[in-house]
Amino acid sequence: MSIVMRIFSKIAFITLVAMLSACLEMNDVTPLGNVVAKVGDKVLTSDEIAEATPANLSEGDSLSFVKLYVDNWLIKRLKVAEAERLFSEEEEDIERLVNDYRESLLMRRVDQYHIEQNMSEDFSDEDIASYYNSHKANFVLDQTLVKGVIVRCDGTTAKSNILRANIERVSTSATAIQILQDACTKNGYTLVDNHSGWVNFSDFLSNLPTTKSQNYDHFLDKVGVQDIVSNGTRYYFYITSVCRKGNVAPVEVVSDKIRRILITQRRSEIISSHEEDILNQAFSEGNAEIVKQID
């Protein structure tokens, strides 16, 4: 026996359980033929339930789904009937709201259709730079950003001068970071590499033995490799670039934000262009007119 047939064989029982669980008194709702449930002149059929039931459910899951589906259908229909009874005097307002929503939904679908037909999200670096340069005041930082590296090692590490030199070369040589990585791997050091991407200064500090209650802005003022020793571990760190709070953010930090802004602008331009086109066409073809000017 197919799963749909098993569902139908249980339908009367499930409907009865649903009605009892909802404490509904509906003497004329006994399912006959294809009708499973009824509220007023609204009916739920076994065909509708079969169409809504997901495939490949076990018998137990199918029965649970059908019971819930019937319950929800009954509750929905009863709530709508109650609303029509309670708010009959407001029917015109409700119809207006429904119509307004329908029209808004259709308009959004039309807008989305034309956006999908005409939209391109390919913005060049020049597009982003142009917007950035024209709107720098909108990209002021509310926190300090840094680039840099941190190396954590044993406090008694030998050849510290060589390690310091390798760290310091990170800002001047494209291959220096690989050399530093190899040295850290060879000697069992831990490397935190933020030399190529901006991070919040607070996030950078989280990799050092620092506390949130103290101010470490003096780290930003020093040039070259610095170090801290804590509990037998030495932390070498080198802040290669700083962009302080209150300054304009680097373009690479805000490029994703700018791209989203440009996408929004382009979507708006597509919609505005389409609205202007259909308005002009309607006027030229006589399908629209302004009957009276409003002063």
Side-chain angles (χ1 to χ4, degrees):
M1 182 183 293
S2 71
I3 192 167
V4 172
M5 292 302 295
R6 290 199 301 270
I7 293 171
F8 290 171
S9 68
K10 303 287 186 176
I11 223 84
F13 169 75
I14 292 168
T15 304
L16 179 60
V17 171
M19 289 186 290
L20 290 175
S21 67
C23 297
L24 302 174
E25 296 181 0
M26 300 175 63
N27 298 328
D28 297 329
V29 176
T30 303
L32 298 174
N34 200 36
V35 176
V36 173
K38 178 180 178 183
V39 174
D41 60 352
K42 305 294 184 182
V43 298
L44 174 65
T45 67
S46 55
D47 290 341
E48 293 176 64
I49 297 174
E51 185 176 347
T53 302
N56 303 320
L57 292 180
S58 66
E59 182 173 357
D61 289 341
S62 297
L63 295 177
S64 297
F65 175 86
V66 171
K67 180 186 180 306
L68 182 61
Y69 190 90
V70 174
D71 275 341
N72 288 339
W73 184 90
L74 289 168
I75 291 169
K76 178 180 179 181
R77 296 269 59 89
L78 290 169
K79 279 189 172 182
V80 170
E82 182 183 15
E84 291 173 344
R85 191 168 60 250
L86 291 173
F87 310 120
S88 59
E89 295 181 359
E90 304 173 23
E91 184 175 351
E92 290 186 5
D93 289 337
I94 293 173
E95 290 297 325
R96 177 179 54 80
L97 291 173
V98 170
N99 187 61
D100 287 347
Y101 176 76
R102 178 179 181 277
E103 290 182 349
S104 296
L105 180 61
L106 290 172
M107 289 172 63
R108 285 197 296 271
R109 291 188 65 180
V110 167
D111 289 344
Q112 187 60 35
Y113 170 81
H114 288 283
I115 287 170
E116 291 174 357
Q117 295 297 310
N118 298 282
M119 186 68 182
S120 170
E121 298 183 4
D122 295 330
F123 296 99
S124 66
D125 292 341
E126 290 74 16
D127 293 330
I128 293 173
S130 176
Y131 186 92
Y132 172 81
N133 290 326
S134 300
H135 301 82
K136 285 187 175 181
N138 296 337
F139 303 117
V140 175
L141 289 171
D142 59 1
Q143 53 194 334
T144 297
L145 304 180
V146 300
K147 292 181 180 181
V149 295
I150 299 171
V151 175
R152 185 169 66 243
C153 56
D154 187 276
T156 60
T157 298
K159 300 181 180 179
S160 60
N161 290 337
I162 297 176
L163 180 57
R164 280 177 172 270
N166 286 338
I167 294 173
E168 202 155 45
R169 290 192 191 98
V170 166
S171 63
T172 60
S173 169
T175 60
I177 189 64
Q178 187 60 55
I179 294 172
L180 181 60
Q181 288 174 344
D182 293 343
C184 289
T185 300
K186 179 180 178 180
N187 293 283
Y189 306 155
T190 300
L191 172 65
V192 179
D193 178 18
N194 295 124
H195 86 286
S196 60
W198 294 98
V199 295
N200 295 336
F201 184 41
S202 58
D203 292 338
F204 186 84
L205 291 174
S206 68
N207 295 289
L208 297 171
T210 56
T211 58
K212 292 184 178 180
S213 60
Q214 294 188 38
N215 184 295
Y216 296 94
D217 285 355
H218 58 280
F219 288 166
L220 303 172
D221 300 322
K222 294 183 179 180
V223 178
V225 179
Q226 304 176 64
D227 67 282
I228 302 173
V229 177
S230 176
N231 297 324
T233 300
R234 185 176 295 273
Y235 300 78
Y236 292 101
F237 62 99
Y238 183 25
I239 299 174
T240 58
S241 301
V242 177
C243 193
R244 294 178 184 268
K245 176 181 177 180
N247 290 345
V248 176
V251 64
E252 61 267 32
V253 172
V254 295
S255 61
D256 287 343
K257 181 178 181 179
I258 292 174
R259 190 179 302 278
R260 291 193 296 270
I261 292 172
L262 293 176
I263 289 173
T264 301
Q265 285 186 346
R266 185 168 289 177
R267 289 169 64 94
S268 180
E269 290 167 0
I270 291 170
I271 293 171
S272 296
S273 176
H274 172 250
E275 291 174 347
E276 184 177 354
D277 288 344
I278 61 173
L279 191 61
N280 291 335
Q281 182 177 356
F283 280 138
S284 66
E285 294 177 353
N287 293 327
E289 62 177 318
I290 298 175
V291 178
K292 182 180 180 180
Q293 295 288 345
I294 300 176
D295 296 329

